[in-house]
Amino acid sequence: MYQERGILVSIQILLFLRFCTCMDTITLIQPVKDGDILVSNGETFALGFFSPANSTNRYVGIWYNKISEQTIVWVANRDRPISNSTGILSVDHTGNLVLQEKDQSFVFWSTNVSGVVNDSFTAQLLDSGNLVLFQGLNKEVYSWQSFDHPSNTYLQGMKLGLEKKTGLNRMIHLGSLVGILMFLFKGMTRYWRAGSWNGLGWSGVPCMTKGNIFIANYINNDDEVTIAYHMRNPSMLSRVVATEFGTLERLTWHESDRKWIEFWFYPNDQCDVYNHCGPFGFCDPNASVTFECDCLPGYEPQSPQDWYIRDGSKGCKRKVGIHMCDVGHGFVELARVKIPDTFSAHVNMSLGLKACEELCLRNCTCKGYASADISKGAEGGGCIMWHGYMNDTRTFLDGGQSLYMRLDAAELGTLSILLLFKLNFNI
């Protein structure tokens, strides 16, 4: 009797698992074969096998489920495609997601995480587009998630950046042959920078801070330096894509037109190219002169010959005869700028803007300062100071923030005369 009851319970469990996993979950007994489609609970995303245009290779990917144009947002085996339609994505007894052919002779892709061997591991496609590998029945504990290993697409709810304790560094990938595009963090990328987070947005992308369709959440503490975003309208489909041309694009889906519409892209002019005007250079795409590069106040071209042929890559040097610690030295404000690269800057979040000025003034090696958080108002929140090279500074017609450059008394006097001249003659 007890044996019969046990068999009945086992059958009921198997039927329940098969019933509850038919839509969005992979288990030991429910893999995804080529031709099967896994659909998230809210039907926003789907997972399955696909072939890119003009290719017969097979990949496992995640795409938007309800839109007419198939848009892949994540790929598992991007470096190891399958050449036929016998692929199977399954959860094995080690608790890993594994992609193999039917004969299981070769592993094309695996989550490759260690865990306790049991029969309760499941992988679920969430309605955020995140594929999560859970340990047992507790959905609060997971051993792996696709959001920690992005492809070329940045989705809402996905964190990019560094987990300091584990060393996990989430970044957008362009593929092994094209390279890796790292995203938007102070001191975390040398290939491309959009400036610093200033409390309202990235100082280098002002269009991201005005009338945003999304809310960004930037975290910088002892545990992590990350950014995530959420749409103000949760029903709006929007994504950020790193292209093979080295650009970033935010696209939103317009159902009435049945196509993706560009919301913004980066870079969009020559001044968005990292360090276009070199160290201590200053890029202004709207300059009235023919060359967009100028030098920060108190500096002059490192190579006048290169400057003459519109090559600002060598940047600028301190003007001869300037003495930064003499009586009368001070600061001049540059408004509406993307502040310099903060890779080697000193940051003190406990200081306001006035205290920041005083601290910079007392240190002869301090070349300039800015507020770390302009959302705090005129007094600012936090202090950024530059003691070394000041790279990748540019100006905007609108947006950006103020940068305060250190000058000696003579330079300050000269700038005051020029300012009065411009005001009197409306230049």
Side-chain angles (χ1 to χ4, degrees):
M1 177 178 178
Y2 290 107
Q3 185 177 5
E4 292 176 353
R5 181 179 298 174
I7 293 173
L8 179 61
V9 170
S10 298
I11 292 173
Q12 289 175 334
I13 291 174
L14 287 173
L15 288 174
F16 172 75
L17 285 173
R18 182 168 293 278
F19 174 77
C20 72
T21 61
C22 62
M23 282 294 291
D24 66 355
T25 305
I26 304 172
T27 68
L28 285 167
I29 62 172
Q30 177 102 9
V32 173
K33 301 176 182 178
D34 196 327
D36 295 341
I37 300 293
L38 212 65
V39 179
S40 63
N41 185 53
E43 300 185 352
T44 303
F45 288 94
L47 178 148
F49 288 78
F50 75 98
S51 293
N54 303 317
S55 174
T56 58
N57 287 333
R58 303 296 283 169
Y59 298 84
V60 169
I62 297 173
W63 58 84
Y64 289 98
N65 180 50
K66 291 184 176 180
I67 68 175
S68 55
E69 177 184 329
Q70 188 181 54
T71 304
I72 307 297
V73 300
W74 182 80
V75 180
N77 57 318
R78 54 181 171 262
D79 297 324
R80 289 182 175 178
I82 300 176
S83 60
N84 55 58
S85 57
T86 65
I88 300 175
L89 180 66
S90 60
V91 175
D92 69 8
H93 286 279
T94 68
N96 280 284
L97 273 170
V98 179
L99 176 61
Q100 297 173 299
E101 289 179 311
K102 188 175 182 179
D103 61 9
Q104 299 184 345
S105 61
F106 182 77
V107 176
F108 289 85
W109 175 85
S110 171
T111 51
N112 195 29
V113 294
S114 59
V116 179
V117 177
N118 62 56
D119 295 337
S120 301
F121 284 96
T122 60
Q124 184 177 14
L125 178 61
L126 305 183
D127 210 45
S128 61
N130 191 13
L131 178 63
V132 183
L133 185 60
F134 291 105
Q135 295 183 18
L137 301 177
N138 184 1
K139 292 300 180 71
E140 298 297 322
V141 180
Y142 68 90
S143 56
W144 179 92
Q145 60 176 355
S146 62
F147 271 17
D148 287 340
H149 308 274
S151 293
N152 72 330
T153 303
Y154 181 32
L155 297 173
Q156 71 164 323
M158 179 188 292
K159 284 185 177 182
L160 292 182
L162 178 67
E163 298 288 344
K164 296 180 180 179
K165 292 184 178 179
T166 65
L168 175 66
N169 195 6
R170 306 176 190 90
M171 62 189 79
I172 295 177
H173 290 254
L174 293 180
S176 60
L177 296 179
V178 182
I180 296 174
L181 183 65
M182 302 175 72
F183 196 78
L184 291 179
F185 297 97
K186 287 192 245 182
M188 293 175 63
T189 169
R190 290 178 178 271
Y191 181 84
W192 178 84
R193 296 179 194 273
S196 302
W197 182 262
N198 60 23
L200 296 178
W202 296 104
S203 63
V205 192
C207 63
M208 291 176 63
T209 62
K210 294 184 60 180
N212 274 341
I213 60 175
F214 61 91
I215 301 171
N217 182 29
Y218 176 70
I219 301 174
N220 187 354
N221 56 31
D222 293 338
D223 296 325
E224 60 184 295
V225 184
T226 60
I227 186 170
Y229 73 90
H230 295 84
M231 303 305 297
R232 294 184 185 273
N233 179 358
S235 65
M236 180 180 290
L237 301 181
S238 182
R239 61 197 172 102
V240 176
V241 179
T243 74
E244 64 268 28
F245 305 107
T247 63
L248 285 181
E249 300 176 347
R250 174 169 286 281
L251 305 165
T252 58
W253 178 255
H254 283 213
E255 183 59 33
S256 58
D257 298 328
R258 293 185 176 275
K259 65 179 181 180
W260 291 99
I261 303 296
E262 184 180 89
F263 183 74
W264 59 256
F265 70 96
Y266 188 98
N268 57 22
D269 59 45
Q270 67 270 39
C271 290
D272 278 341
V273 176
Y274 178 68
N275 209 21
H276 179 63
C277 296
F280 303 108
F282 183 77
C283 194
D284 182 1
N286 305 295
S288 57
V289 295
T290 56
F291 189 31
E292 66 274 6
C293 287
D294 199 351
C295 290
L296 290 169
Y299 293 81
E300 60 187 5
Q302 183 77 246
S303 172
Q305 294 85 356
D306 290 346
W307 216 258
Y308 179 72
I309 60 173
R310 302 189 191 180
D311 178 6
S313 59
K314 291 182 180 177
C316 304
K317 61 182 179 180
R318 178 76 75 184
K319 288 181 178 178
V320 176
I322 287 184
H323 304 285
M324 298 312 301
C325 278
D326 285 352
V327 176
H329 61 160
F331 298 94
V332 61
E333 179 183 3
L334 302 179
R336 300 187 304 279
V337 305
K338 186 200 80 63
I339 61 174
D341 173 355
T342 57
F343 182 74
S344 59
H346 295 194
V347 180
N348 187 331
M349 296 303 297
S350 66
L351 298 179
L353 197 60
K354 184 62 178 177
C356 188
E357 176 186 7
E358 294 171 353
L359 183 60
C360 186
L361 197 62
R362 291 198 299 267
N363 190 329
C364 293
T365 67
C366 181
K367 297 177 173 68
Y369 71 94
S371 172
D373 186 353
I374 61 175
S375 69
K376 303 298 184 182
E379 285 302 312
C383 169
I384 307 175
M385 294 179 293
W386 288 266
H387 296 264
Y389 284 114
M390 302 179 77
N391 296 321
D392 198 36
T393 311
R394 64 157 295 167
T395 187
F396 300 104
L397 287 175
D398 190 21
Q401 66 181 94
S402 292
L403 170 68
Y404 301 88
M405 289 296 301
R406 187 189 199 118
L407 292 177
D408 67 4
E411 282 288 309
L412 283 173
T414 301
L415 283 177
S416 298
I417 294 172
L418 287 175
L419 179 60
L420 288 173
F421 182 80
K422 290 180 178 180
L423 290 174
N424 289 331
F425 293 94
N426 294 319
I427 297 178

